[in-house]
Amino acid sequence: MLPIEYLQHMEELLGGEFGAYLRAMDEPSHAGIRTNRLKITPGELSRLIEKEPEGVPWCADGFYMPDGFRAGKSALYHAGLYYIQEPSAMSAAQALGVSPGERVLDLCAAPGGKSTQLAGALGGEGLLICNDVSRSRLKALVKNLELAGVRNAVVTCEEPRKLARAFPGFFDKILIDAPCSGEGMFRKDRDVLKAYSAQRIEFFARTSRDLLESAALMLSPGGRILFSTCTFNKTENEDSVDGFLASNRDFSPAEIRLKGDDGFAKGFGGNGENYRRLFPHRVHGEGHFLAVLEKRGNSSQNENNVSVSMPKSLKRAARSQQAVFRDFAAYALRDDFLIDAELYVMGDTLYTLPPGLPNLDGIRLVKTGLRLGELRQSRFEPSQALAMALTCRDVKQVADFPHTSAEVVKYLKGETLEMAPGSQDGWALVCTEGYPLGWGKVLRGILKNKYNRNWLMD
Ligand code: SAM
């Protein structure tokens, strides 16, 4: 049963469309997958799925879930070729319009649907900072970034007000996917309905105002904020954004235009022309709200007023530590960027960092750049994250199997594999359809499984 206050609010908002909305709520929800641009194009992915998936109109990388396709079980998922995402949720990062090389903040990022989409838009260039206050949800975010092969992300766990002190005027683009009452998810997830309480709406609206104020401090002149929620509630949506605009005269709302957005509705109230609403009776997707806010000025006014340096907890790797990695790279890798990369160390773990990383002292870091692997005295043990960030062309020894093969299932379950005759002892990258799944170590024709134990397939 839908809550009565909620239904009254929907009737007030929708007027004559309320009946169509109620009928849509009795239809099945829409699921989707979004191509990971860092690894594959949508055309290549749809050929591998072999089910001719239907595209999501407003997201060139998105597909509706093909009938019978078990997206979370496929080896293509374990190769990080797509993210399982509700189709309406694909609109937010799309509307922010990120370009390679920009500095981007995803302020409420876990579990990473929109972060992985932003990373795809950056194409490996620039800096992505992903933040969330929930440590438990951040675990999933780190896994999703690693699975997607993202090299240029840093993950923080901070209250936005504290982040704002570290990054004044730093970012070109900021995405705020705010915590909300989740009314737009009622059809998809009945648990959201159980947790719903009309009393929490004011709390979420206040949180959104705080998030917007912190984001405003971190945005460079000429920069853009994308504010989104998955609720229909006007207090949480238009009222939060309008309240922010009323007290921040250097910001104005920008109209959102996406290819394929014909079914999107405008928002409500004075600025509603510029905002967008996704309703399940108008689009094949769940409920979403989008607003883009632009800060006056142009990016050349960006004073770069943040000191750029590496975090104190990371040290430049000592020569001997670099040599251990270079030995591994020389015999296992072909990838030039890693041969020349600047290496950093924390404990026994080696990293590369995205360029232009600001001073992060005092900020709680959960992930810093790309984790390359562990130093074990004179040996180097490459990480799962490194495997996912490479292509099979970057590695000298590859064991590649079709995604429907028994070998791939055995590998993802942690079993050993037999290598083809002529294989060399040492590291090999196990791939499916030419996309990495993880490492193995070959000894006399048998590949010992080095797949991340926490990622094993059930
Ligand atoms: N953007 C995510 C995605 O696409 O996968 C979903 C984000 S979810 C709608 C909202 C997130 O906001 C939750 O993960 C929650 O932990 C986080 N959150 C709640 N309060 C916050 C705050 N004050 N600052 C930062 N994050 C917050």
Side-chain angles (χ1 to χ4, degrees):
M1 268 292 275
L2 293 168
I4 190 75
E5 317 81 320
Y6 159 76
L7 286 171
Q8 281 165 350
H9 180 62
M10 290 306 287
E11 192 167 10
E12 271 166 40
L13 280 184
L14 290 171
E17 288 184 35
F18 183 57
Y21 162 75
L22 283 181
R23 283 192 294 282
M25 290 297 280
D26 285 332
E27 288 167 14
S29 62
H30 295 276
I33 55 174
R34 182 180 39 73
T35 315
N36 176 9
R37 281 267 174 188
L38 294 176
K39 288 180 181 271
I40 192 169
T41 65
E44 287 162 345
L45 178 63
S46 76
R47 278 192 289 283
L48 282 175
I49 291 175
E50 294 163 7
K51 298 250 178 188
E52 297 214 7
E54 181 196 344
V56 172
W58 51 87
C59 178
D61 295 344
F63 295 110
Y64 288 100
M65 191 68 78
D67 282 344
F69 180 56
R70 297 173 74 205
K73 297 279 178 199
S74 166
L76 303 175
Y77 169 76
H78 292 271
L81 301 189
Y82 54 81
Y83 186 90
I84 301 169
Q85 191 174 32
E86 189 280 302
S88 293
M90 298 175 190
S91 60
Q94 189 84 20
L96 184 55
V98 163
S99 308
E102 290 185 323
R103 295 164 167 185
V104 181
L105 170 65
D106 189 355
L107 193 54
C108 307
K114 288 162 189 158
S115 291
T116 49
Q117 196 172 356
L118 295 170
L122 284 173
E125 293 170 37
L127 175 64
L128 176 63
I129 297 220
C130 307
N131 179 69
D132 203 286
V133 287
S134 164
R135 253 193 191 271
S136 54
R137 288 171 64 91
L138 279 172
K139 273 195 194 153
L141 171 76
V142 170
K143 176 177 176 186
N144 285 325
L145 290 171
E146 290 188 351
L147 187 61
V150 177
R151 295 175 179 185
N152 55 339
V154 170
V155 178
T156 62
C157 181
E158 277 301 350
E159 276 300 335
R161 252 172 291 172
K162 186 161 172 203
L163 270 193
R165 290 201 288 276
F167 296 117
F170 184 74
F171 294 102
D172 303 304
K173 304 270 164 69
I174 299 181
L175 194 144
I176 306 174
D177 191 27
C180 68
S181 56
E183 294 174 353
M185 292 296 125
F186 284 173
R187 181 171 76 166
K188 176 172 177 251
D189 186 352
R190 291 282 150 175
D191 286 346
V192 178
L193 192 51
K194 279 187 224 146
Y196 180 79
S197 140
Q199 279 79 49
R200 297 198 70 203
I201 285 165
E202 288 299 334
F203 165 78
F204 287 125
R206 269 198 309 281
T207 304
S208 287
R209 280 291 304 276
D210 287 349
L211 292 168
L212 282 160
E213 295 290 348
S214 299
L217 297 172
M218 291 187 267
L219 196 68
S220 66
R224 289 179 134 212
I225 292 175
L226 183 292
F227 176 87
S228 61
T229 71
C230 60
T231 190
F232 297 118
N233 196 277
K234 183 169 171 290
T235 306
E236 292 174 73
N237 292 333
E238 284 87 347
D239 295 355
S240 299
V241 179
D242 288 347
F244 166 80
L245 287 171
S247 56
N248 288 271
R249 295 292 177 183
D250 52 341
F251 277 83
S252 52
E255 197 185 354
I256 298 168
R257 296 245 35 114
L258 294 181
K259 193 161 172 256
D261 68 358
D262 310 348
F264 292 14
K266 292 185 171 163
F268 301 94
N271 289 318
E273 278 291 298
N274 298 297
Y275 308 150
R276 289 293 176 271
R277 292 274 200 155
L278 281 72
F279 287 111
H281 62 287
R282 281 175 166 248
V283 297
H284 290 151
E286 307 311 298
H288 233 72
F289 171 80
L290 308 172
V292 169
L293 309 174
E294 277 176 355
K295 190 172 186 174
R296 197 167 304 132
N298 62 54
S299 41
S300 60
Q301 283 172 258
N302 188 350
E303 295 160 17
N304 203 3
N305 41 5
V306 169
S307 60
V308 174
S309 69
M310 61 180 181
K312 264 199 192 131
S313 48
L314 283 175
K315 305 261 175 283
R316 244 173 243 271
R319 268 196 194 179
S320 56
Q321 294 170 317
Q322 293 187 30
V324 174
F325 176 73
R326 307 273 180 233
D327 278 355
F328 162 80
Y331 94 82
L333 303 183
R334 297 183 207 274
D335 190 322
D336 291 343
F337 100 95
L338 280 177
I339 305 279
D340 295 332
E342 193 94 65
L343 303 180
Y344 296 89
V345 67
M346 195 189 305
D348 290 329
T349 309
L350 277 187
Y351 294 86
T352 56
L353 299 183
L357 195 61
N359 189 334
L360 296 169
D361 285 344
I363 299 291
R364 271 182 297 187
L365 294 173
V366 179
K367 168 178 159 61
T368 324
L370 175 62
R371 180 189 186 119
L372 298 175
E374 309 300 312
L375 294 162
R376 304 252 186 264
Q377 294 173 336
S378 61
R379 281 189 307 111
F380 177 75
E381 188 98 5
S383 72
Q384 183 69 37
L386 175 60
M388 303 313 289
L390 295 169
T391 72
C392 65
R393 291 173 301 283
D394 298 326
V395 178
K396 289 183 186 159
Q397 181 157 244
V398 166
D400 192 22
F401 304 101
H403 72 279
T404 48
S405 64
E407 284 88 348
V408 160
V409 175
K410 277 176 81 176
Y411 179 74
L412 293 172
K413 290 186 177 234
E415 297 174 28
T416 52
L417 296 179
E418 262 180 50
M419 293 290 285
S423 60
Q424 304 287 311
D425 284 358
W427 291 102
L429 189 66
V430 180
C431 296
T432 184
E433 314 288 351
Y435 299 96
L437 292 169
W439 295 105
K441 205 162 186 191
V442 181
L443 185 62
R444 292 192 285 278
I446 299 294
L447 181 126
K448 189 170 171 207
N449 196 309
K450 294 283 183 177
Y451 190 52
N452 183 333
R453 298 286 116 180
N454 297 321
W455 290 20
L456 290 178
M457 199 186 223
D458 335 303

